Amino acid sequence: MAEFQKKYSPKTYPNLKGLKGISDDLLATHFKLYEGYVNRCNTLTENLSKLGKEGRASGKDPAYAEMTRRLGFEYSGMILHEYYFGNLIPNGQAAPQKGKLTDAIEKSFGGYDTWLADFKAIATMPGVGWAITYQDPTTGWLSSHWINLHQDNHPAGYTPVLVMDAWEHAFIPDYKATDRAKYVDAYFQNIDWAAVEKRLR
Ligand SMILES: [Fe+2]
């Protein structure tokens, strides 16, 4: 039998410093939280594999079932943070340059401002989760969605294009819990639009 090789390593973002309105201290804490997701993905995967080898791969085995239920939360927590950090950059432009991304936005929303207002409305909804613009791989159209926690409400098979962490740890203590809208405005000062555009088909 081949040796078990699935082990994730936390990605590092050494250049992600000096963002506008999102402090380096807050980001350092956020990277630590992200590493926790990577570590738990590895632990869950290893433990499930071990139980499988022991012949305990059963939905009726409480340990196996509970760890399996947890996978979506931990995996999505890991992956979404990589999308989020990956679409931030110091000295970001306020808006994307005209190109593939703006074309897709216009075709899907009728205009950049309409897309932005929709995204900001989603991003300031009560709750902990994520605001994400996805691309439908079949039509190429974009749509934006609210994700509960990390795992609930993803349109199956769609590609995340622009990802914003809306959990409170993403903006507290830089902002008050009641000031998420200020964080959303700061977020849009730090977007790596080229990285966002690269995610499009
Ligand atoms: Fe986060």
Side-chain angles (χ1 to χ4, degrees), residues 8-196:
Y8 296 95
S9 301
K11 292 185 177 25
T12 56
Y13 302 89
N15 298 327
L16 215 50
K17 285 190 177 115
L19 297 183
K20 292 184 201 112
I22 301 174
S23 69
D24 291 350
D25 278 357
L26 185 146
L27 274 177
T29 305
H30 210 163
F31 293 146
K32 282 260 176 290
L33 285 171
Y34 153 66
E35 283 169 24
Y37 285 101
V38 179
N39 293 338
R40 289 191 298 278
C41 279
N42 287 330
T43 304
L44 280 179
T45 308
E46 279 166 31
N47 288 354
L48 282 166
S49 165
K50 218 157 91 187
L51 288 179
K53 282 180 192 151
E54 291 166 4
R56 289 179 62 192
S58 163
K60 290 178 183 161
D61 183 310
Y64 196 87
E66 286 311 309
M67 281 196 281
T68 301
R69 286 196 180 98
R70 190 80 188 166
L71 279 179
F73 179 80
E74 302 293 357
Y75 266 72
S76 297
M78 171 175 73
I79 296 159
L80 291 179
H81 279 103
E82 290 168 0
Y83 274 105
Y84 173 69
F85 297 135
N87 61 212
L88 292 176
I89 195 171
N91 303 312
Q93 300 297 311
Q97 291 186 334
K98 208 166 163 39
K100 213 167 140 187
L101 177 64
T102 54
D103 281 355
I105 288 173
E106 274 159 31
K107 278 186 192 135
S108 309
F109 288 87
Y112 178 81
D113 291 343
T114 309
W115 164 76
L116 185 64
D118 175 66
F119 191 97
K120 286 187 173 183
I122 293 168
T124 49
M125 278 171 39
V128 289
W130 300 76
I132 303 181
T133 294
Y134 295 85
Q135 186 178 39
D136 174 347
T138 307
T139 61
W141 292 331
L142 306 181
S143 55
S144 299
H145 300 258
W146 170 258
I147 306 308
N148 281 317
L149 300 173
H150 303 307
Q151 74 275 34
D152 297 332
N153 215 23
H154 296 281
Y158 280 29
T159 310
V161 176
L162 181 72
V163 174
M164 196 207 85
D165 194 335
W167 284 59
E168 290 178 347
H169 66 246
F171 61 96
I172 293 174
D174 286 357
Y175 300 93
K176 289 181 188 167
T178 47
D179 279 342
R180 197 197 300 165
K182 287 184 186 167
Y183 156 66
V184 175
D185 287 340
Y187 168 78
F188 275 100
Q189 300 290 304
N190 300 289
I191 304 296
D192 184 348
W193 293 108
V196 173

